[in-house]
Amino acid sequence: MLNNKTQAENKTRHQKNIEITMRDGTILRHNMTRPDIDGKFPVLLERTPYNKEGGSENGVGSPEFFAARGYVVIIQDVRGRFASDGDFYPFKDDGNGSNKDGYDTVEWLANQDWSTGKIGTIGGSYSGATQYRNAISNPPNVKAMFVRESSADYSEEWVYRGGAFELGFNFGWAHGVTLSNLNHLVTDEKHEEKEKMLTEVSNNIDDWHKKTPLFPTQFFDGLSDWYNDWLENPPPSDYWNEFDMSNHFGNIDIPIYHLGGWFDVFLNGTLKFYQGVSKNGKSDKTKQNQRLIVGPWVHGPTNINNRFAGEFDFGPDAALDFNELRLPWFDFWLKGKNNGIDETKKINFFVMGKNEWKQADEWPLKNTTYTKYYFNKKLNGEIKSLYSGTLSDKKEIENSQLSFTNNLNNPVPSLGGNTLSIPNGVFEHSSVDKQCITFSTNPLENELEVTGPVSAEIYVNSDQENSDWVVRLCDVDQSGYSRLVCDGIFRSHATSGEIQKIKIDMWATSNMFLKGHRLRISVTSSCFPRFDRALNNGSEESKNNILCGGSNASYITLPIINS
């Protein structure tokens, strides 16, 4: 069912700017595409901040596609965006707070004379967030969801990660959201002035990334104050409690198909939501009817039908037709078609390196051996990095440490990875690896499949109080091409010289390291502008140490699949 091809069954017609009144009196507006025949039809709903005239679902032609196959498709502007009234504050009015815009919209749609009362929801990214947040309010007429690439906890998979602010993504996203929303935010007299200001920011975005401190970002004042709220409340602030949906998985009673990408900025949210509802959903039916697919994709619906992630080609099997992928799911749950999708394996995942799809019924996989690979000081020398150590499943007996200098004005640059608004996906990574301390295996004598959650536990210290620690795993082929597999960051706070053991969540991957390839670990203290920089009372430099071997052995834990 990954690449079916179906035909249109009927013609379609369209209607624009239909109004629905929310429980607090605010009016939201949507466009409708429906079969051009009489009757009652199941409904598919996207709620978007990106304009119902455009946005992600229109970008992949889903209104026309699904309406031509017997669905009414609704694309709604969320509160405070484009044609809808009210004030926009990200995520606030889409969950289980005092306003429940998703719930109210669903109940209105279910009671229209052209509706069967069976509602499915579609969309990804922010439109995925409107789905997930609607799920925790459990509207009774939502019979199925298909959520593409979204978050479960915005303090860990959207705004921050490991305590570091996702600068590149969030600055670009907030700027774009604000600029496109000026008609809501300012009077006609102020519009030209504010538009010019925001355009100047976009023309000088590299300079704005470098400005410190980040808080407050003054040009957002009075326009998108939520951005400064985010900066003012780094986790674990109580501010984030209402935006952490992992506490509400037990309320959810909806079959959900979760789609993620190995290089998507919200990958961990996709995995967390799938696991959380599969384990804690409200009913056995819901627990058994969660599905997951993860491909070698960067963020966005058009990238699902793309064999490239960044500059790297993962082969023809990587590209899937997004609409055809979703159709059997909704046909089963909303039309009652016995197409067997309820009997398929629960998980489809793409194994990079081999560039092939595999299936499973559990995540993590049953046949997993979690194996520690130690960062050893023994010289490897396979790359001219700051220091080229050895990565091995055996640790050195002697304690040692490796030192490097982190300079705020010359940070190690970000290059691809799980991000957005800046280049994402896979790029040849050796230029960045050379600016790090590295640990590499010898060329592999046999294939090694790594599929599942990845983490690093490292012993560190610094002569400054605040430090970032970045750990990255790459697959290095015989030519020396270094392909990013996964990475993670953690911001530590300690007294000068204090040794800390920290755990870095590197999220997850599926990669076959082929015979003759090496595993390479890179360790550094910046990844800019993807993440902001750890500041230390005006100090420009810090001397940072990673400890190896003996009682302070640092290591990465890899989920090795037993063949």
Side-chain angles (χ1 to χ4, degrees), residues 155-156 159-167 235 468 489-491 531-533:
S155 72
E156 280 297 325
V159 182
Y160 289 85
R161 181 172 173 183
F165 185 68
E166 286 259 12
L167 176 63
D468 287 333
I489 189 169
F490 184 86
R491 178 159 295 170
F531 300 104
D532 73 328
R533 295 160 292 173

PDB file of all heavy atoms in Angstrom, residues 155-156 159-167 235 468 489-491 531-533:
ATOM      1  N   SER A 155       8.555  22.080  24.053  1.00  0.00           N
ATOM      2  CA  SER A 155       9.781  22.502  24.723  1.00  0.00           C
ATOM      3  C   SER A 155      10.966  21.613  24.370  1.00  0.00           C
ATOM      4  O   SER A 155      12.105  21.924  24.708  1.00  0.00           O
ATOM      5  CB  SER A 155       9.595  22.500  26.250  1.00  0.00           C
ATOM      6  OG  SER A 155       9.532  21.183  26.759  1.00  0.00           O
ATOM      7  N   GLU A 156      10.717  20.509  23.668  1.00  0.00           N
ATOM      8  CA  GLU A 156      11.799  19.590  23.301  1.00  0.00           C
ATOM      9  C   GLU A 156      11.873  19.296  21.813  1.00  0.00           C
ATOM     10  O   GLU A 156      12.896  18.807  21.343  1.00  0.00           O
ATOM     11  CB  GLU A 156      11.659  18.260  24.068  1.00  0.00           C
ATOM     12  CG  GLU A 156      12.178  18.316  25.486  1.00  0.00           C
ATOM     13  CD  GLU A 156      13.680  18.610  25.538  1.00  0.00           C
ATOM     14  OE1 GLU A 156      14.417  18.153  24.650  1.00  0.00           O
ATOM     15  OE2 GLU A 156      14.124  19.317  26.458  1.00  0.00           O
ATOM     16  N   VAL A 159      10.629  24.269  19.991  1.00  0.00           N
ATOM     17  CA  VAL A 159      11.255  25.538  20.389  1.00  0.00           C
ATOM     18  C   VAL A 159      12.654  25.322  20.952  1.00  0.00           C
ATOM     19  O   VAL A 159      13.587  26.055  20.613  1.00  0.00           O
ATOM     20  CB  VAL A 159      10.358  26.271  21.406  1.00  0.00           C
ATOM     21  CG1 VAL A 159      10.968  27.611  21.790  1.00  0.00           C
ATOM     22  CG2 VAL A 159       8.952  26.469  20.833  1.00  0.00           C
ATOM     23  N   TYR A 160      12.795  24.332  21.800  1.00  0.00           N
ATOM     24  CA  TYR A 160      14.095  23.996  22.396  1.00  0.00           C
ATOM     25  C   TYR A 160      14.415  22.531  22.103  1.00  0.00           C
ATOM     26  O   TYR A 160      13.542  21.734  21.741  1.00  0.00           O
ATOM     27  CB  TYR A 160      14.071  24.212  23.912  1.00  0.00           C
ATOM     28  CG  TYR A 160      14.032  25.656  24.340  1.00  0.00           C
ATOM     29  CD1 TYR A 160      12.825  26.345  24.430  1.00  0.00           C
ATOM     30  CD2 TYR A 160      15.207  26.344  24.651  1.00  0.00           C
ATOM     31  CE1 TYR A 160      12.785  27.671  24.822  1.00  0.00           C
ATOM     32  CE2 TYR A 160      15.177  27.677  25.051  1.00  0.00           C
ATOM     33  CZ  TYR A 160      13.967  28.337  25.133  1.00  0.00           C
ATOM     34  OH  TYR A 160      13.929  29.656  25.525  1.00  0.00           O
ATOM     35  N   ARG A 161      15.683  22.211  22.278  1.00  0.00           N
ATOM     36  CA  ARG A 161      16.109  20.815  22.262  1.00  0.00           C
ATOM     37  C   ARG A 161      17.298  20.674  23.198  1.00  0.00           C
ATOM     38  O   ARG A 161      18.308  21.365  23.044  1.00  0.00           O
ATOM     39  CB  ARG A 161      16.485  20.361  20.853  1.00  0.00           C
ATOM     40  CG  ARG A 161      16.909  18.900  20.816  1.00  0.00           C
ATOM     41  CD  ARG A 161      17.090  18.376  19.402  1.00  0.00           C
ATOM     42  NE  ARG A 161      17.659  17.043  19.424  1.00  0.00           N
ATOM     43  CZ  ARG A 161      17.993  16.339  18.348  1.00  0.00           C
ATOM     44  NH1 ARG A 161      17.799  16.854  17.149  1.00  0.00           N
ATOM     45  NH2 ARG A 161      18.517  15.140  18.456  1.00  0.00           N
ATOM     46  N   GLY A 162      17.165  19.815  24.185  1.00  0.00           N
ATOM     47  CA  GLY A 162      18.244  19.628  25.142  1.00  0.00           C
ATOM     48  C   GLY A 162      18.601  20.888  25.889  1.00  0.00           C
ATOM     49  O   GLY A 162      19.726  21.044  26.382  1.00  0.00           O
ATOM     50  N   GLY A 163      17.660  21.819  25.988  1.00  0.00           N
ATOM     51  CA  GLY A 163      17.887  23.084  26.685  1.00  0.00           C
ATOM     52  C   GLY A 163      18.403  24.196  25.806  1.00  0.00           C
ATOM     53  O   GLY A 163      18.468  25.355  26.243  1.00  0.00           O
ATOM     54  N   ALA A 164      18.773  23.893  24.560  1.00  0.00           N
ATOM     55  CA  ALA A 164      19.251  24.917  23.623  1.00  0.00           C
ATOM     56  C   ALA A 164      18.092  25.381  22.745  1.00  0.00           C
ATOM     57  O   ALA A 164      17.244  24.580  22.340  1.00  0.00           O
ATOM     58  CB  ALA A 164      20.378  24.361  22.765  1.00  0.00           C
ATOM     59  N   PHE A 165      18.068  26.649  22.434  1.00  0.00           N
ATOM     60  CA  PHE A 165      17.001  27.228  21.619  1.00  0.00           C
ATOM     61  C   PHE A 165      17.236  26.894  20.155  1.00  0.00           C
ATOM     62  O   PHE A 165      18.338  27.081  19.625  1.00  0.00           O
ATOM     63  CB  PHE A 165      16.968  28.745  21.822  1.00  0.00           C
ATOM     64  CG  PHE A 165      15.838  29.447  21.123  1.00  0.00           C
ATOM     65  CD1 PHE A 165      14.530  29.261  21.533  1.00  0.00           C
ATOM     66  CD2 PHE A 165      16.087  30.304  20.063  1.00  0.00           C
ATOM     67  CE1 PHE A 165      13.475  29.918  20.892  1.00  0.00           C
ATOM     68  CE2 PHE A 165      15.049  30.970  19.423  1.00  0.00           C
ATOM     69  CZ  PHE A 165      13.741  30.764  19.841  1.00  0.00           C
ATOM     70  N   GLU A 166      16.188  26.404  19.484  1.00  0.00           N
ATOM     71  CA  GLU A 166      16.266  26.079  18.046  1.00  0.00           C
ATOM     72  C   GLU A 166      16.212  27.384  17.245  1.00  0.00           C
ATOM     73  O   GLU A 166      15.197  27.746  16.650  1.00  0.00           O
ATOM     74  CB  GLU A 166      15.100  25.166  17.654  1.00  0.00           C
ATOM     75  CG  GLU A 166      15.257  23.741  18.140  1.00  0.00           C
ATOM     76  CD  GLU A 166      15.747  22.814  17.025  1.00  0.00           C
ATOM     77  OE1 GLU A 166      16.167  23.319  15.960  1.00  0.00           O
ATOM     78  OE2 GLU A 166      15.706  21.598  17.232  1.00  0.00           O
ATOM     79  N   LEU A 167      17.353  28.070  17.204  1.00  0.00           N
ATOM     80  CA  LEU A 167      17.396  29.434  16.692  1.00  0.00           C
ATOM     81  C   LEU A 167      17.082  29.511  15.205  1.00  0.00           C
ATOM     82  O   LEU A 167      16.222  30.285  14.777  1.00  0.00           O
ATOM     83  CB  LEU A 167      18.769  30.050  16.968  1.00  0.00           C
ATOM     84  CG  LEU A 167      19.011  31.451  16.402  1.00  0.00           C
ATOM     85  CD1 LEU A 167      18.051  32.453  17.022  1.00  0.00           C
ATOM     86  CD2 LEU A 167      20.462  31.874  16.629  1.00  0.00           C
ATOM     87  N   PRO A 235      13.037  25.732  29.113  1.00  0.00           N
ATOM     88  CA  PRO A 235      12.628  24.608  29.955  1.00  0.00           C
ATOM     89  C   PRO A 235      13.635  24.399  31.072  1.00  0.00           C
ATOM     90  O   PRO A 235      14.814  24.730  30.922  1.00  0.00           O
ATOM     91  CB  PRO A 235      12.616  23.432  28.977  1.00  0.00           C
ATOM     92  CG  PRO A 235      13.451  23.856  27.822  1.00  0.00           C
ATOM     93  CD  PRO A 235      13.344  25.341  27.740  1.00  0.00           C
ATOM     94  N   ASP A 468      27.407  24.080  25.813  1.00  0.00           N
ATOM     95  CA  ASP A 468      26.665  23.156  24.957  1.00  0.00           C
ATOM     96  C   ASP A 468      27.565  21.992  24.590  1.00  0.00           C
ATOM     97  O   ASP A 468      28.778  22.156  24.375  1.00  0.00           O
ATOM     98  CB  ASP A 468      26.201  23.858  23.684  1.00  0.00           C
ATOM     99  CG  ASP A 468      25.054  24.817  23.923  1.00  0.00           C
ATOM    100  OD1 ASP A 468      24.287  24.593  24.882  1.00  0.00           O
ATOM    101  OD2 ASP A 468      24.919  25.792  23.156  1.00  0.00           O
ATOM    102  N   ILE A 489      22.008  17.546  21.187  1.00  0.00           N
ATOM    103  CA  ILE A 489      22.652  18.628  21.921  1.00  0.00           C
ATOM    104  C   ILE A 489      22.143  18.632  23.351  1.00  0.00           C
ATOM    105  O   ILE A 489      21.009  18.232  23.631  1.00  0.00           O
ATOM    106  CB  ILE A 489      22.381  19.988  21.239  1.00  0.00           C
ATOM    107  CG1 ILE A 489      23.233  21.103  21.872  1.00  0.00           C
ATOM    108  CG2 ILE A 489      20.893  20.341  21.276  1.00  0.00           C
ATOM    109  CD1 ILE A 489      23.209  22.402  21.081  1.00  0.00           C
ATOM    110  N   PHE A 490      22.983  19.089  24.267  1.00  0.00           N
ATOM    111  CA  PHE A 490      22.581  19.273  25.665  1.00  0.00           C
ATOM    112  C   PHE A 490      23.297  20.497  26.207  1.00  0.00           C
ATOM    113  O   PHE A 490      24.506  20.648  26.028  1.00  0.00           O
ATOM    114  CB  PHE A 490      22.941  18.050  26.507  1.00  0.00           C
ATOM    115  CG  PHE A 490      22.460  18.134  27.937  1.00  0.00           C
ATOM    116  CD1 PHE A 490      21.175  17.720  28.263  1.00  0.00           C
ATOM    117  CD2 PHE A 490      23.273  18.643  28.938  1.00  0.00           C
ATOM    118  CE1 PHE A 490      20.714  17.793  29.567  1.00  0.00           C
ATOM    119  CE2 PHE A 490      22.818  18.721  30.250  1.00  0.00           C
ATOM    120  CZ  PHE A 490      21.531  18.297  30.564  1.00  0.00           C
ATOM    121  N   ARG A 491      22.547  21.379  26.878  1.00  0.00           N
ATOM    122  CA  ARG A 491      23.130  22.560  27.508  1.00  0.00           C
ATOM    123  C   ARG A 491      23.312  22.292  28.989  1.00  0.00           C
ATOM    124  O   ARG A 491      22.337  22.058  29.719  1.00  0.00           O
ATOM    125  CB  ARG A 491      22.254  23.789  27.279  1.00  0.00           C
ATOM    126  CG  ARG A 491      22.779  25.064  27.955  1.00  0.00           C
ATOM    127  CD  ARG A 491      22.198  26.299  27.315  1.00  0.00           C
ATOM    128  NE  ARG A 491      22.644  26.417  25.924  1.00  0.00           N
ATOM    129  CZ  ARG A 491      22.143  27.289  25.059  1.00  0.00           C
ATOM    130  NH1 ARG A 491      21.181  28.129  25.431  1.00  0.00           N
ATOM    131  NH2 ARG A 491      22.599  27.350  23.815  1.00  0.00           N
ATOM    132  N   PHE A 531      21.289  26.066  16.494  1.00  0.00           N
ATOM    133  CA  PHE A 531      21.015  26.319  17.913  1.00  0.00           C
ATOM    134  C   PHE A 531      21.693  27.613  18.346  1.00  0.00           C
ATOM    135  O   PHE A 531      22.738  27.988  17.799  1.00  0.00           O
ATOM    136  CB  PHE A 531      21.523  25.163  18.777  1.00  0.00           C
ATOM    137  CG  PHE A 531      20.897  23.841  18.462  1.00  0.00           C
ATOM    138  CD1 PHE A 531      21.597  22.879  17.743  1.00  0.00           C
ATOM    139  CD2 PHE A 531      19.595  23.552  18.862  1.00  0.00           C
ATOM    140  CE1 PHE A 531      21.021  21.656  17.431  1.00  0.00           C
ATOM    141  CE2 PHE A 531      19.006  22.332  18.558  1.00  0.00           C
ATOM    142  CZ  PHE A 531      19.722  21.379  17.834  1.00  0.00           C
ATOM    143  N   ASP A 532      21.096  28.285  19.338  1.00  0.00           N
ATOM    144  CA  ASP A 532      21.741  29.475  19.879  1.00  0.00           C
ATOM    145  C   ASP A 532      22.998  29.075  20.635  1.00  0.00           C
ATOM    146  O   ASP A 532      23.282  27.891  20.827  1.00  0.00           O
ATOM    147  CB  ASP A 532      20.771  30.265  20.761  1.00  0.00           C
ATOM    148  CG  ASP A 532      20.502  29.596  22.101  1.00  0.00           C
ATOM    149  OD1 ASP A 532      20.508  28.347  22.172  1.00  0.00           O
ATOM    150  OD2 ASP A 532      20.261  30.309  23.087  1.00  0.00           O
ATOM    151  N   ARG A 533      23.770  30.041  21.068  1.00  0.00           N
ATOM    152  CA  ARG A 533      25.035  29.774  21.749  1.00  0.00           C
ATOM    153  C   ARG A 533      24.896  29.965  23.257  1.00  0.00           C
ATOM    154  O   ARG A 533      24.175  30.859  23.702  1.00  0.00           O
ATOM    155  CB  ARG A 533      26.120  30.706  21.199  1.00  0.00           C
ATOM    156  CG  ARG A 533      26.464  30.464  19.742  1.00  0.00           C
ATOM    157  CD  ARG A 533      27.137  31.661  19.097  1.00  0.00           C
ATOM    158  NE  ARG A 533      26.220  32.790  18.977  1.00  0.00           N
ATOM    159  CZ  ARG A 533      26.568  34.000  18.584  1.00  0.00           C
ATOM    160  NH1 ARG A 533      27.828  34.261  18.300  1.00  0.00           N
ATOM    161  NH2 ARG A 533      25.670  34.967  18.493  1.00  0.00           N
TER     162      ARG A 533
END
